[in-house]
Structure formats: structure tokens, C-alpha cells
Amino acid sequence: MGIVVTGATGKLGRHVVEQLLEKVPAEQITAVVRDKARAADLAERGVQLAVADYNAPETFAGVFAAGDKVLLISGNEFDKGRPAQHKGVIDAAKAAGVALLAYTSAPGSLTAALADDHRATEEILLGSGVPYTLLRNGWYFENYTEHLAPVLEHGAVVQAAGEGRVSAASRADYAAAAAAVLTGEGHENKTYELGGDTAFSFAEYAAELSRQTGREIAYHPVSVEAFTGILTGAGLPEPLAAVFAGVDASIEKGELVVSTGDLSRLAGRPTTSLEQAVADALKG
């Protein structure tokens, strides 16, 4: 039995592989990548590499073996028809007779357009008959903390989320949950709603940035339309800007507050706090 991680050189995938290496021998792990060169460091540590591309489903033939546990990390090419991309992986996993396919989805409470591809993929996966785990990942701290430069430059957190709160957690937190499912037992046909232990508002985020930087950073809530314009002005394609602005609208409605405790239970520790996430980002 092996453990196979797709999208293994992506930001979440690398965290998952690192945490798997703490739990199982490297030769039991297969990292699925599009470019072997980007995973040379993993190969040097004994991780098996397989080259496959979500846009070419035939490349997944032979990647999986009977009894494997697979993590399907959702693709990030929003314009390429992600459910069809994911179906190619699911079909290959079914043909191989894998023991489990875990999929990184979105919270069940999320109604924003971002969730549409995830719901469609879940439907494909449940219809396939493959034993599954739905890892419904909430929002990532890094969605904010990796983009601090304009916030610090202008002294302002600008979002379209009103007074809404979000149960964010770090990529490492979500990776810990995935690693626990891939190395543990009893997760077949389970759905986990994953989010940080403590939800925060953007006013609280701005206040924490102010406290740690010693500078005055304010929260400026704007309309969804205005936020979409800000994002396109920063270089995001309009469809993608609309997706992210739509997530803010969902945050305002409380759709990204996840209070199940599933994430810290699976990870076996508390999730990363807002204070720690900000401190890590400022250390850079």
C-alpha cells in the first residue's frame, strides 16, 4: 500500500508530503507532479515521483495501484473546467482499485461561486463508488498573510466582508488533517468540515497587524463591486477577481465560520492562531 499525493509541488501539497515524511517511510509516498525538476528535493529524500497532468487524464493511467490511499488536491486553474480535470483522476483511481481517495473540497456552508467546482467534484466522487474522504477545507490564513505588502504600504486592510468572521487556518494545519486521514484508519466515506479553532473579523485582523507592527492599520470595508475593481486593478483577471470578491460576500454572511472542531481533532493539536499567523508572516 502506498500514499499518492497529487499536486505535490503546490503550496498545500508540499506541506502534506513533509508531514507524511514524519509518519511513514519515504518510499511509501508517491508525489504526482507535472515537472520532475520541481520535485528533485523530494526524490533525493526517497519520495517516489510520478508525472501526470490534470489536463491530460491519460497520464494518470498507471499512477495508482490497488490499495493505495490518494489525496486529490483540487486544481487551481479556474478556467480549465476543474470538475472534468478531477474526474480524470477519480476515474484512474477507480480503475486501479484504490482503498481511499481524499479530496480537498470547500466548506458545505459556502455558497459562493468558488464552491461550485467543489460540489460538482464531490458529486463525481460519490457517484464513482470509490471509498472517499471529503476534506472540506476552510479559508487559508495565507490568502491574506502572503499579500501583506500593499496592506503595510497603505496602512489598510481592504475587504468586502463587512463585519463577517472567518475560521481561517494555516496550510500546515490543513495538511496535518490530510496526513492524518492518509495514514490513519476509519476515514472511509466521511466528510470533515475543516476550519480554524477561533474565527476572526477583519477589524481584528487589522488590529493584530497594528499591534505587531506598531503602526496604525485600519480595516476599510468596501462593496463587492469595489473590491472586484481593486483586485482587477492589481492584475487579477476579472473572472477570478469576481470569485474572490464573492467569497468575501459569503464571509459577511457567516458562511466561512466553521465550528466543528474537526481540523484540530484530526491534526491532534490546536490550529494556528491569528497572532501566530501574523507573526509568521511578518518574520517573512
Side-chain angles (χ1 to χ4, degrees):
M1 182 211 84
I3 296 173
V4 185
V5 179
T6 74
T9 52
K11 291 177 177 178
L12 178 61
R14 277 196 168 274
H15 276 290
V16 174
V17 173
E18 287 294 339
Q19 298 204 36
L20 286 172
L21 285 166
E22 296 175 6
K23 293 172 174 280
V24 298
E27 59 269 19
Q28 291 183 17
I29 305 166
T30 298
V32 182
V33 299
R34 285 193 288 196
D35 179 1
K36 272 192 173 180
R38 289 187 58 198
D41 59 313
L42 297 178
E44 286 172 5
R45 295 164 70 184
V47 174
Q48 308 299 305
L49 300 185
V51 177
D53 188 328
Y54 289 159
N55 294 307
E58 67 278 5
T59 60
F60 280 90
V63 168
F64 308 121
D68 280 349
K69 292 185 177 180
V70 178
L71 177 65
L72 169 54
I73 295 180
S74 58
N76 59 7
E77 296 174 309
F78 292 88
D79 59 339
K80 294 282 182 68
R82 293 193 297 168
Q85 290 182 326
H86 299 154
K87 184 178 185 300
V89 180
I90 294 166
D91 288 347
K94 179 179 182 177
V98 303
L100 181 75
L101 191 149
Y103 171 65
T104 61
S105 192
S109 53
L110 185 66
T111 64
L114 179 71
D116 293 347
D117 287 353
H118 293 300
R119 296 291 93 84
T121 300
E122 289 184 4
E123 198 171 307
I124 293 165
L125 178 53
L126 270 61
S128 72
V130 174
Y132 68 87
T133 306
L134 298 181
L135 297 168
R136 288 180 168 170
N137 288 357
W139 217 224
Y140 297 82
F141 272 126
E142 289 89 346
N143 289 336
Y144 308 115
T145 57
E146 285 183 350
H147 305 284
L148 278 181
V151 172
L152 299 177
E153 180 185 348
H154 299 292
V157 171
V158 180
Q159 301 285 154
E163 296 178 9
R165 305 179 76 80
V166 56
S167 301
S170 69
R171 287 195 189 100
D173 293 334
Y174 293 111
V181 165
L182 293 167
T183 58
E185 300 297 332
H187 299 291
E188 293 83 1
N189 305 331
K190 298 281 182 66
T191 298
Y192 297 112
E193 299 285 349
L194 305 176
D197 293 337
T198 306
F200 63 91
S201 68
F202 287 100
E204 290 168 340
Y205 176 52
E208 186 61 31
L209 284 169
S210 298
R211 188 182 72 79
Q212 293 199 33
T213 62
R215 298 165 53 187
E216 184 57 42
I217 297 172
Y219 170 45
H220 294 301
V222 298
S223 69
V224 168
E225 294 74 21
F227 191 51
T228 304
I230 290 167
L231 293 175
T232 55
L236 273 188
E238 198 282 330
L240 191 55
V243 165
F244 284 118
V247 170
D248 267 22
S250 287
I251 291 173
E252 183 169 24
K253 290 185 279 188
E255 294 179 2
L256 277 177
V257 172
V258 180
S259 54
T260 60
D262 284 351
L263 182 52
S264 53
R265 271 197 298 276
L266 284 173
R269 56 170 174 75
T271 61
T272 304
S273 66
L274 174 61
E275 178 182 5
Q276 187 61 52
V278 169
D280 290 345
L282 291 173
K283 274 189 287 193

